[in-house]
Amino acid sequence: MKILMIMLGMVVLLGGTALAQTSKVGFVNPQRIINESKIGRVAQEDLARLGREKDRRVRESLAVVESLQEGLKAETMSVTEQQSKEEEMRLAVRDYERLVKNSNMEIQSEERRLIQFVMRRADSLLRDIAREMGFTMILTDPEIVGFVADSMDITDRVIHELNSMMEQGRKNAN
């Protein structure tokens, strides 16, 4: 019985080792793909345009608040007029704060959407590269990876192939 248990343990141990040897893990850094690929840079430019537009609207709203504030300081008015102007300013401040909050949320949402858009384009490449290089898994979160051998980091290849896809798309469009 002891010999059988020892043999069973060895089979499990050797079988597990054989399985571990056939697994191969790759790595891709999504932030580099966003920052360095052409499609990622286009997405970042779109996000920057949105940010500039949101910033313009916030500045305009702040200018209204500041103008009302200056009007309250400079003008001599009746108590009723004073209360009316103060209420108008409170509403303007509330609108400004809501605009800032909504603008920030929209920009963050758009940023997530653009990252997803770029990474969806990379997904098919990741699958093809995984099959070609024999990867059973490709990690995409640099926060959970302590060390990655250069031969397992396929970020440069993904960036290159995404750029090629984008150039091919332009050629086909012309």
Side-chain angles (χ1 to χ4, degrees):
M1 188 66 160
K2 275 186 177 182
I3 295 173
L4 183 60
M5 291 301 274
I6 291 171
M7 289 178 66
L8 181 61
M10 289 180 70
V11 167
V12 168
L13 183 62
L14 291 174
T17 304
L19 282 176
Q21 289 174 349
T22 60
S23 295
K24 189 174 174 185
V25 178
F27 172 77
V28 66
N29 186 328
Q31 192 60 52
R32 280 194 52 219
I33 291 173
I34 300 298
N35 292 338
E36 298 175 25
S37 70
K38 290 177 184 177
I39 192 169
R41 287 192 297 264
V42 168
Q44 286 180 330
E45 289 168 9
D46 288 347
L47 186 61
R49 270 192 295 282
L50 176 67
R52 285 189 299 273
E53 177 59 25
K54 296 292 182 186
D55 189 48
R56 183 190 62 75
R57 290 180 186 171
V58 166
R59 281 193 315 271
E60 288 174 357
S61 181
L62 180 59
V64 169
V65 169
E66 290 171 343
S67 173
L68 289 169
Q69 199 171 31
E70 288 301 315
L72 277 170
K73 290 178 187 176
E75 295 180 28
T76 307
M77 53 188 102
S78 71
V79 173
T80 305
E81 289 175 320
Q82 177 83 17
Q83 289 173 341
S84 176
K85 290 285 184 181
E86 286 174 354
E87 179 61 23
E88 185 180 356
M89 190 171 122
R90 274 193 292 280
L91 291 174
V93 167
R94 189 181 70 213
D95 289 346
Y96 167 76
E97 290 171 346
R98 187 179 313 127
L99 181 63
V100 168
K101 181 181 174 185
N102 289 342
S103 292
N104 288 336
M105 286 180 4
E106 287 177 36
I107 288 171
Q108 289 170 357
S109 174
E110 186 67 11
E111 181 178 36
R112 282 189 300 275
R113 191 184 72 71
L114 290 173
I115 289 169
Q116 289 173 350
F117 172 79
V118 172
M119 291 310 292
R120 272 195 303 269
R121 297 298 177 272
D123 273 349
S124 63
L125 293 173
L126 292 176
R127 283 188 192 89
D128 292 345
I129 293 169
R131 272 192 294 274
E132 176 188 319
M133 296 181 76
F135 291 130
T136 54
M137 179 187 321
I138 296 179
L139 301 175
T140 61
D141 188 349
E143 298 295 318
I144 64 167
V145 177
F147 169 76
V148 176
D150 290 342
S151 62
M152 298 298 130
D153 187 345
I154 58 172
T155 305
D156 289 332
R157 181 168 173 193
V158 172
I159 291 169
H160 174 75
E161 291 191 25
L162 277 172
N163 290 346
S164 295
M165 283 174 52
M166 195 166 175
E167 288 173 18
Q168 192 67 20
R170 283 187 187 148
K171 287 178 184 175
N172 291 342
N174 291 331

